[in-house]
Amino acid sequence: MAEAGTERTERIIELLRERGARLTNARRAVIDALAMARSHLTADDLGVLVQQSAPDIHISTIYRTLDALEHLGLVDHVHLGHGRAIYHLTDQPHQHLVCEGCGAVVEVPDSTFAQLADQLRQGYSFTIRPSHFAVLGRCADCAGVGKIASDH
Amino acid sequence: MAEAGTERTERIIELLRERGARLTNARRAVIDALAMARSHLTADDLGVLVQQSAPDIHISTIYRTLDALEHLGLVDHVHLGHGRAIYHLTDQPHQHLVCEGCGAVVEVPDSTFAQLADQLRQGYSFTIRPSHFAVLGRCADCAGVGKIASDH
DNA sequence: ATCTTTGCAAACTTTTTGCACCAAT
DNA sequence: ATTGGTGCAAAAAGTTTGCAAAGAT
């Protein structure tokens, strides 16, 4: 278990205060968990993680915290299949490739989508929102496998 | 109200039979609704539409029908935010741009993503699945508006 | 006649909300 | 002290499932 209160967490907390929000245990815990996570987390994942050190933090608080952090621009979420959303901090912008075979989330830099963004802006007057869509497909490991694994 | 049993519907039904599935009222009604829809439909939308002519077709049947049609390769779905999914026939492959401001779904040809597909295949060994991801952003009408409208 | 599909009701999962209490500023 | 945040329990929203009856081949 990594140590809490990393520099990354502190930076986010500073932004939170700058933007006039209160710092609570729940918020620190959620930010911490997001900052330390190596992969992307669902609200439920966060609940489990946070409750390891603070069992009283209710899942509804996790949702409200994520909501608050998102309104503050500190967190963003991406919808995967099945209505689940994964959350991540906004301090390291990136896009998501989600494997339909194994569920793996691959992060790729925003720049990968620069040309697509241009194309859609020019052709359709549509402005894509960086960091907020997932591209579905199959990762290297799952590419060979014929069937699409249970997407529903 | 358009006439049922269009050529498009018939083509799909033929494929359904070829693939060994039974044709039922529910299936015909769902295919018909999808074939005639000018926009993309959620399961609930389909329920409402189908029940206009066949009130006994239950929403759970709609889900099972969509599931069956999807397994037959005749229907595909795309997840939007909030856990809702929209369904469409697979006979006219396309990609979806979803506006976070007004919810509009813009369809663009598969070819738009050809280069991105190449790039991701080469750079990440990731094969995107055409027709099964939505790109989020803002349409022309909503681009000016500053705030992201209630995405949660 | 056989095997699939349907209708219904009830369960499930994920997320949201009302409200009284508690905590951060 | 004031306002915003939290815990709980209960409700939503969307989807899935068990089962017996009905339907397609």
Side-chain angles (χ1 to χ4, degrees), chain A residues 62-106:
Chain A
I62 303 283
Y63 278 105
R64 282 192 278 221
T65 297
L66 288 168
D67 200 48
L69 295 176
E70 200 156 353
H71 275 79
L72 293 167
L74 304 173
V75 158
D76 209 346
H77 74 272
V78 174
H79 292 282
L80 304 185
H82 279 161
R84 263 164 285 131
I86 51 175
Y87 294 84
H88 61 96
L89 296 169
T90 51
D91 60 347
Q92 293 167 2
H94 57 269
Q95 310 276 1
H96 308 85
L97 310 182
V98 180
C99 179
E100 293 179 309
C102 64
V105 178
V106 181

Side-chain angles (χ1 to χ4, degrees), chain B residues 73-87:
Chain B
L74 304 173
V75 158
D76 209 345
H77 74 273
V78 174
H79 292 282
L80 304 186
H82 278 162
R84 264 165 284 131
I86 51 175
Y87 294 83

Side-chain angles (χ1 to χ4, degrees), chain A residues 17 22-23 43 60 63-64 83-85:
Chain A
R17 306 199 103 120
R22 291 184 183 177
L23 180 61
S60 70
Y63 278 105
R64 282 192 278 221
R84 263 164 285 131

